[in-house]
Amino acid sequence: MNGMNRSPVLLLTAALLILSGCQKPASDGPKEATAPPVVESTAPPASPSGPGELKSTASGLQYQDLVTGTGQRPMIGQSLQIYYTGRLKEGGEPFDSGVFDFNPMKDKVIRGWNLGIFGDAEIPPMRVGGKRKLIIPPGLGYGSMESGPIPPNSTLIFDIELKRVASGQGPFGG
C-alpha cells in the first residue's frame, strides 16, 4: 500500500511541475494591438541637419552646402579651380562670374572666400565636386572699400563650385 500512496503524490507533483513549466509569464503572452494615441502638435516640424541648411558662424559668414563634394579637400598652398557667381545682397544682380584659378598663398582673395573654401573650426572645408553658397559680411569682404561694381560695406553672396585642386602649387594646365 505504500507504493499506492506514493503514486498519487508523485503524479500530483509531476502534474504541477508540468503545468507550471507550461505557463508563460504575462509579459510573453500575446499582446493586443493598440493604436498609438493621436497627439496634435502646433510646433513646426524639426528641420534635419545636413546639406541644404544655411549655417551662421561667429564671424558673420553664412554658408550653405548645395552639393556636398566627395573629392579631394583643398590645402593652403595648393592651386584651386573655382566656378563662381558673385552678387550683391542688395539687388541680387550678378556683378561677376566665371572660372577662377588661384593659389591662396600667391593670389589675394577676400577672407570670406578662404574661410568658406578651406574651412575653420566652425566650417568644414569644401571638397572637389562641392557647391556652396557663401553670404559674406563686409568685414570678411571688401569692408569700407569700393571694388569695381561693389559699393563700400556690401554684403556679398557667392555661389561657388570647387572643380579641381592641383597637386602642386602651379597653375592648371589646359
Side-chain angles (χ1 to χ4, degrees):
M1 195 122 169
N2 256 348
M4 285 175 82
N5 286 341
R6 270 198 236 169
S7 282
V9 173
L10 286 175
L11 284 174
L12 184 59
T13 304
L16 287 174
L17 287 173
I18 291 170
L19 287 175
S20 68
C22 291
Q23 290 179 343
K24 294 181 181 175
S27 64
D28 288 343
K31 295 181 179 156
E32 290 183 31
T34 58
V38 175
V39 178
E40 291 186 30
S41 173
T42 58
S47 62
S49 178
E53 184 180 337
L54 182 65
K55 299 173 185 170
S56 299
T57 67
S59 68
L61 178 70
Q62 294 178 296
Y63 69 98
Q64 179 180 22
D65 285 318
L66 306 172
V67 174
T68 302
T70 58
Q72 182 180 359
R73 240 180 37 193
M75 305 296 264
I76 296 289
Q78 293 179 313
S79 293
L80 310 179
Q81 186 175 68
I82 304 287
Y83 290 8
Y84 72 97
T85 299
R87 59 188 189 282
L88 299 173
K89 187 172 183 181
E90 301 78 25
E93 292 296 316
F95 60 79
D96 196 10
S97 66
V99 177
F100 184 42
D101 295 340
F102 76 102
N103 182 310
M105 298 297 285
K106 297 177 183 175
D107 303 308
K108 186 172 171 100
V109 296
I110 58 175
R111 186 162 179 247
W113 263 51
N114 280 333
L115 291 173
I117 295 168
F118 294 100
D120 68 0
E122 294 182 275
I123 306 170
M126 289 186 73
R127 291 186 176 270
V128 171
K131 294 181 182 181
R132 185 173 277 179
K133 174 190 266 186
L134 299 175
I135 302 175
I136 302 173
L140 298 176
Y142 294 102
S144 60
M145 296 183 329
E146 182 174 334
S147 180
I150 302 170
N153 300 312
S154 293
T155 296
L156 309 173
I157 300 173
F158 283 97
D159 293 314
I160 57 176
E161 179 179 2
L162 180 54
K163 293 300 280 185
R164 296 187 346 186
V165 174
S167 56
Q169 293 185 11
F172 291 96

